[in-house]
Amino acid sequence: MGDTWAIISLLSMIVVVFVANKKNINVGLVGIAMAMFIGTIAGLKYKQIIGGFNTTLFIRAMGMQAMIVVAKMNGTLESVSRRIVKVGCGRAIKALPVFLFLALLVCEWLGTGIFSMAMPVLCALAFEMGMPVLKIVGIGLITMVGGGTSPYAPPGIILRGLAEEAGLTVNLWNTALSGAIVSSCFFLGFYFICGWHKQKPLTIGSDIKISPMTWKQWATIAGYLIFVFCNLVLKLDTGVTPIIIAIILCLMGVGDGSQLLRKLPFNSLIMVGGMTVMVGVVSTLGGIDLITNGLTMVATKTLAPGLLSLIASCMSVISSAQGVVMPTLVPTVNGLVEAIPGLSVQSLVTAIGLGAYATGISPLSTTGGNVLANFGTVYSPKPEEEKKLFNQLLILAVASMAAYTLAGFIGIYSIILFN
């Protein structure tokens, strides 16, 4: 298509975000409109343009939200969050984020993918504590990036498979170690910036009355456990079981089936799904390749890990870490190692894996989009409040990108303790 259309497509992405924020229009709808416009004048067929819509992503997000809506309708989220608040809002409140960080990081290492399941609870917890949602959920986002590429985590399994396919030998426990170091430093900064060190005990903790769990709430929790079992043991896709479980729970009377569809946060779902159409057009017109090629031209032995992390982070802002970024960049490692003597294969693969997930928390990616969706479900926010969280997630993603890029430049990805 040529560099001209690649540049135009990238600029159009900036225009989409700017217009959506300025005019307070759903960014997904603006993205679809821009994709149609740019794609048509660039000569793309309608099927090519609309084919960028990520149906799998949309179904997965909607399925999880269906389970969350059921859990909210019968009070399960409120009951669980109240119990956490009761324990964590007293004298131990300053240690609450530390406990959450360590627990979630270890669970991510073990491949539970717990953040996607814990996210609604964290949102409900922030709501009960009267705090900005990102002050709590941000902890989970940091651990997801730091622990998501261990050997047992789904993203790590994909990363290892791609490396093996490319003939590369790596040990992802080294990647997990690097992720733990960077995420711990990032969390420390987050802790103080959010004012956790000054947080005073909340009276809400002592005033909360804990009611016994009802059978509907236990059934909902059982549904979540079944989902985890199907995902981890039976290896079923996360888009398969949530909707089935949500419907079964409604048929059992655990949730109100007549309200299920009405309470789904379609504004947030369209925001995520619509942007995948725009991303598809950018990719087809060569915008992502242009970013990659431009940055890799200046790589050196010292700069390569940091630059590769930066490239992965930039790509992941508008594309899938597992579906686009890692499959695109991992095959470049062999060429870089051959062209630049002394480069470590491990450090480059680590840079790609962690860099790809550094900005996976942006609102344009799956995880950030799910945060918006959960925010919409739990808080029932006004459009301007959704827009504010959208911008905050972008800022957090940029900060994460900076942290993981810096880690590559200063040699953290070259730390190898496991052979």
Side-chain angles (χ1 to χ4, degrees):
M1 291 293 179
D3 287 349
T4 300
W5 281 114
I7 294 171
I8 291 174
S9 68
L10 288 173
L11 292 176
S12 69
M13 285 289 296
I14 300 173
V15 172
V16 166
V17 176
F18 175 79
V19 171
N21 277 271
K22 189 71 175 178
K23 297 299 182 180
N24 200 26
I25 307 174
N26 186 295
V27 70
L29 292 178
V30 179
I32 292 175
M34 181 64 79
M36 294 292 186
F37 176 71
I38 295 295
T40 300
I41 62 175
L44 300 181
K45 300 295 184 181
Y46 173 76
K47 288 186 177 180
Q48 286 180 286
I49 299 171
I50 204 66
F53 184 83
N54 193 325
T55 306
T56 300
L57 185 156
F58 188 84
I59 293 297
R60 284 174 179 171
M62 186 173 66
M64 284 303 302
Q65 291 312 308
M67 289 183 61
I68 293 166
V69 167
V70 171
K72 184 181 179 184
M73 283 193 291
N74 62 36
T76 302
L77 285 182
E78 182 181 4
S79 180
V80 172
S81 63
R82 279 175 174 266
R83 281 167 167 76
I84 298 175
V85 170
K86 185 77 173 179
V87 175
C89 288
R91 296 179 181 178
I93 191 169
K94 293 181 181 180
L96 175 63
V98 178
F99 167 76
L100 288 175
F101 172 77
L102 293 175
L104 291 174
L105 183 64
V106 171
C107 288
E108 288 290 346
W109 275 351
L110 297 177
T112 61
I114 192 171
F115 178 63
S116 62
M117 291 171 274
M119 191 191 307
V121 176
L122 296 178
C123 282
L125 174 59
F127 183 78
E128 288 288 339
M129 295 173 71
M131 292 182 174
V133 65
L134 208 57
K135 188 170 181 177
I136 296 287
V137 177
I139 301 169
L141 291 170
I142 294 171
T143 60
M144 184 206 71
V145 178
T149 52
S150 77
Y152 299 138
I157 293 172
I158 292 174
L159 182 62
R160 182 175 56 190
L162 291 169
E164 290 174 351
E165 185 178 344
L168 306 172
T169 302
V170 295
N171 187 324
L172 290 190
W173 281 120
N174 293 311
T175 304
L177 174 63
S178 296
I181 294 172
V182 182
S183 62
S184 296
C185 294
F186 193 26
F187 168 73
L188 189 62
F190 180 87
Y191 183 92
F192 286 102
I193 290 174
C194 289
W196 278 107
H197 61 297
K198 298 179 181 179
Q199 186 68 49
K200 296 180 179 179
L202 301 178
T203 56
I204 184 175
S206 58
D207 295 340
I208 288 180
K209 296 181 179 180
I210 305 297
S211 302
M213 298 279 283
T214 66
W215 76 268
K216 292 183 178 181
Q217 292 168 349
W218 282 118
T220 303
I221 292 174
Y224 271 92
L225 293 176
I226 292 171
F227 164 70
V228 174
F229 177 81
C230 291
N231 179 231
L232 296 180
V233 180
L234 301 183
K235 306 300 180 183
L236 296 179
D237 190 276
T238 53
V240 174
T241 50
I243 295 179
I244 297 175
I245 292 172
I247 294 300
I248 291 175
L249 290 174
C250 287
L251 291 175
M252 292 170 57
V254 174
D256 187 348
S258 65
Q259 295 295 316
L260 182 59
L261 192 61
R262 296 178 186 177
K263 291 184 178 295
L264 286 174
F266 280 106
N267 186 60
S268 298
L269 292 172
I270 292 172
M271 183 182 295
V272 179
M275 284 306 295
T276 63
V277 178
M278 184 70 232
V279 169
V281 170
V282 172
S283 179
T284 301
L285 296 178
I288 294 177
D289 289 338
L290 186 64
I291 294 175
T292 305
N293 294 335
L295 289 173
T296 52
M297 286 175 62
V298 296
T300 66
K301 178 182 176 180
T302 304
L303 299 179
L307 284 176
L308 210 51
S309 179
L310 177 61
I311 295 168
S313 296
C314 289
M315 291 175 64
S316 189
V317 170
I318 57 173
S319 59
S320 166
Q322 297 181 47
V324 176
V325 182
M326 293 194 296
T328 300
L329 294 183
V330 169
T332 68
V333 171
N334 274 322
L336 285 172
V337 172
E338 291 176 3
I340 307 172
L343 270 180
S344 164
V345 169
Q346 178 71 58
S347 68
L348 296 184
V349 173
T350 295
I352 293 170
L354 294 178
Y357 273 82
T359 50
I361 60 179
S362 83
L364 303 179
S365 295
T366 307
T367 302
N370 281 337
V371 171
L372 283 169
N374 279 275
F375 180 62
T377 302
V378 176
Y379 278 72
S380 300
K382 298 177 181 178
E384 55 268 24
E385 292 174 325
E386 279 192 317
K387 183 176 72 172
K388 181 179 179 181
L389 180 59
F390 183 92
N391 293 332
Q392 289 175 334
L393 284 168
L394 275 180
I395 293 171
L396 187 65
V398 171
S400 180
M401 176 174 63
Y404 282 89
T405 299
L406 178 62
F409 287 140
I410 64 178
I412 290 180
Y413 298 157
S414 297
I415 298 175
I416 298 176
L417 296 183
F418 304 93
N419 297 318

